[in-house]
Amino acid sequence: MEAHHHAHPDHGQHHHGDESALADLLDLDAEVLGPFLDELTAWVAEQSGRTPRTVADLGAGTGTGTLALARRFPSAEIVAVDRSPVMLDRLRAAARGQGLEERVRVLQADLDAALPPLGTPDLVWAAASLHHVENPARLLGEVHAALRPGGLLAVVEMDGMPRLLADEAGATLEARCREALAGSGPDPYPDWGPVLAAAGFEVAARRDFPIEVRPAPPGAVRYARTVLSGYRSRLAGRLAEGDLAALDRLLSADSPESVRHRELVVRGTRTAWAARRP
């Protein structure tokens, strides 16, 4: 997904010219992968150890994480922070649609400038957003200062683009695309554990959450087309001609090899860190 700066949805620091298209992409991401947030938010609740009164979502995007947190913590106020008014409009509409607008407050702010006033949150959530901040150490220091003593910060990342093609040839092609994409720039995110510790947090836990959606949901075909077209546009000139031709066939509506006719299985891994302010 070209809207995914490195390899992930850019939930907080948007630099894409068409934010409506990016919002559509994040909504599609939520449709395909959103159900796995239930397991993740349950783990965060367990790590928190108490019911939060205020939860802040940094880089909220269109609100998938925001609304999952609102459902997990039904007595909490959720503060959703994003720099994009387009994203926040989508988030407001989604909150209204789920009857959560009374507990969800949106806050437009640029995390590269400063952490906006959040009050004293009990829980801060940063999913696929922290690695887009220009100075994450500075932001983490500000989060540490804002959290109430004993409060929890949850940082979540994904291991690159989800894998979608179930057959061996398709999976091998995806692996070559991922490898080529990884070689085109810096790692998408570091091991946040040492960075969190340097900011004064006690890292309580780190956990990987494997994702496998089988059978693939209805939105998986559109999702696969988005992922593969991103590979096709970004890797022209870096992939072998045969691989580029294979991507073209996967993306063609007329080809028998199109993703429309392929078995799709959505696979990936989320990694989460839980860090507490002493």
Side-chain angles (χ1 to χ4, degrees), residues 92-260:
R92 288 189 192 94
R96 284 194 300 273
Q98 296 188 28
L100 297 169
E101 68 272 22
E102 295 300 320
R103 291 196 295 115
V104 173
R105 176 165 63 93
V106 303
L107 189 57
Q108 185 179 353
D110 184 349
L111 296 175
D112 282 336
L115 184 72
L118 300 174
T120 306
D122 305 282
L123 172 64
V124 173
W125 164 279
S129 58
L130 187 58
H131 68 269
H132 292 293
V133 176
E134 291 177 358
N135 188 345
R138 185 268 307 158
L139 180 64
L140 288 172
E142 294 175 356
V143 171
H144 184 276
L147 269 170
R148 67 157 178 80
L152 193 76
L153 166 65
V155 176
V156 185
E157 299 285 6
M158 287 190 69
D159 69 333
M161 298 306 304
R163 300 177 296 281
L164 294 142
L165 299 173
D167 61 284
E168 183 177 355
T172 302
L173 173 63
E174 282 186 302
R176 288 195 294 271
C177 291
R178 286 164 59 94
E179 182 179 358
L181 198 60
S184 67
D187 291 338
Y189 62 86
D191 176 359
W192 287 115
V195 185
L196 292 164
F201 289 94
E202 292 179 353
V203 181
R206 170 179 169 161
R207 179 174 163 184
D208 291 335
F209 291 82
I211 296 169
E212 182 169 318
V213 187
R214 186 195 298 265
V221 171
R222 286 184 296 133
Y223 198 63
R225 286 184 56 83
T226 302
V227 171
L228 297 173
S229 63
Y231 288 151
R232 182 63 178 86
S233 63
R234 296 180 70 178
L235 297 176
R238 295 211 298 271
L239 280 181
E241 287 300 319
D243 286 343
L244 293 174
L247 287 173
D248 288 337
R249 291 192 295 273
L250 286 164
L251 292 167
S252 170
D254 301 324
S255 170
E257 297 180 43
S258 168
V259 292
R260 298 172 185 269

